[in-house]
Amino acid sequence: MNRRDILRRTAAASLLAVPATGLLTGCALGGDDNSTGESAEGTKSEQNPLGVKEDAPLEVVIFNGGFGEDYAKAHEAMYTEKYPKATIKHSATQEINKTLQPRFVDGTPPDVVNNSGAGQIDFNGLVSQNAIADLSELLDAPSLDVPGKTVRDTLLPGVVDVGSYDGKFLVLNYAYTAYGIWYSTKLFTDKGWEYPKTWDDHIALCKKIKASGMAPWTYAGKHPRYMSWPVISTAVKFGGVDVAKAIDNLEPNAWKSDAMKAAADAWYQIVKDGYILPGTPGLDHVQSQTEWCRGKAAFISCGSWLESEQKKVTPAGFNMSVAPTPSLGTGDKLPFEAIRGTASEPFMVPSKAKNQAGGLEYFRTMLSMKGAQDFTRKVSSLSAVAGSTQGIELPFGLSTVVKALDASGNNGFNWVYNNFYRKLERELVDAACGEFFSGRTTPAEFLEQCQKGADQIAGDSSIKKYKRS
């Protein structure tokens, strides 16, 4: 091992030892000037709008999670069809942070990074240190296979917004996800149960389900933030989208608004009445989802990657369906059909990438109609490209996602504090949910714990703040 290796590994080890929000310093990135070094570039033309150098190598690192990596290999094959002289180095990992931190230290990151999963690199640190390339040029480039449209024109609503920081589009969230409450259509049909549209009906059904010998609910006990999603959704539907905006903007007492209090009080009922599967706090997301698939519980909170993630253990004819959270009452500002929908599964091109133009072109390939439809066929998830499900026979669960998003229409909503401040959701709110849904805290204590976490982030001058308008 030479001196450079020793210095590099020592620096990487020190980076990994600090909190996520402080992962990337100007020194670690070799400065914060956002330059791309000796990035490979070709001549721009109508056929090559991003100026890709046809023989420049491209390196792609994929998060090997619920979507796997086969879809990415297909996109890579599409890229090399257009640029046969280019070689692509592909790798997949579940530990993006640990795998790539040493390379950010060296200033030699890959060209494309699928920065996802529990081990992702904190975006707040990346953005504040100018470590991510601006994707605006990609948006203005023509679509690969949708005549007369730019890439921007082909994207679903909200895709650019959720990936933008201070007005710059930096992160391509490629999958389009609906977050809701999942249940088995077959189970409900067999039992004569109907999905509840109101909170009172939900509690009445939970009582009936428990009496039948089944637990009404389970959740990802080791990742209890999954249950923050229906709580916040309930609050947003009750009080309107300003509830989410206040949380996103770290406003004082945003977590203790009247809407959040009403939502927390409602969800506490499934805790105090024993409607959660015993042992749930000890289950991770896959284990809880598997128990749900086995019929041990009727409901589970998840995003629309659930069907793909559970396909190996889902019984034939299970027919999982997603639905919005029940309405608290007639005073809700959003209708029952309103559901949280957002782009997810983040991709980025590092600003120090050797082949930045190739990275942008790879994204253009992903966002082609061909690339998007292939993704949906392979992973049973929607992509960020509008109209890309046309002509595709969707699996049962994904077809319910499409119906739910269509029914939600302009009433759809989202929040972005989890993108702005990863630590707040992944650590602080996560811990608060763990205590709350295990029955160790009251609704008021739960909200106080969440608010303390938000205040901690707001008061930390080392964390860059963002404003949602």
Side-chain angles (χ1 to χ4, degrees), residues 225-260:
R225 66 181 180 277
Y226 278 47
M227 287 302 288
S228 71
W229 305 337
V231 174
I232 300 174
S233 292
T234 299
V236 171
K237 291 171 73 167
F238 179 76
V241 294
D242 285 344
V243 173
K245 289 182 179 180
I247 289 174
D248 291 339
N249 292 332
L250 302 177
E251 292 182 11
N253 294 320
W255 288 89
K256 295 193 284 186
S257 66
D258 290 343
M260 285 299 297

Side-chain angles (χ1 to χ4, degrees), residues 143 146 149-156 367-369 384-387:
S143 166
V146 182
K149 289 191 176 184
T150 64
V151 170
R152 185 195 302 271
D153 296 334
T154 67
L155 299 179
L156 286 167
L367 294 170
S368 66
M369 192 62 67
V385 179

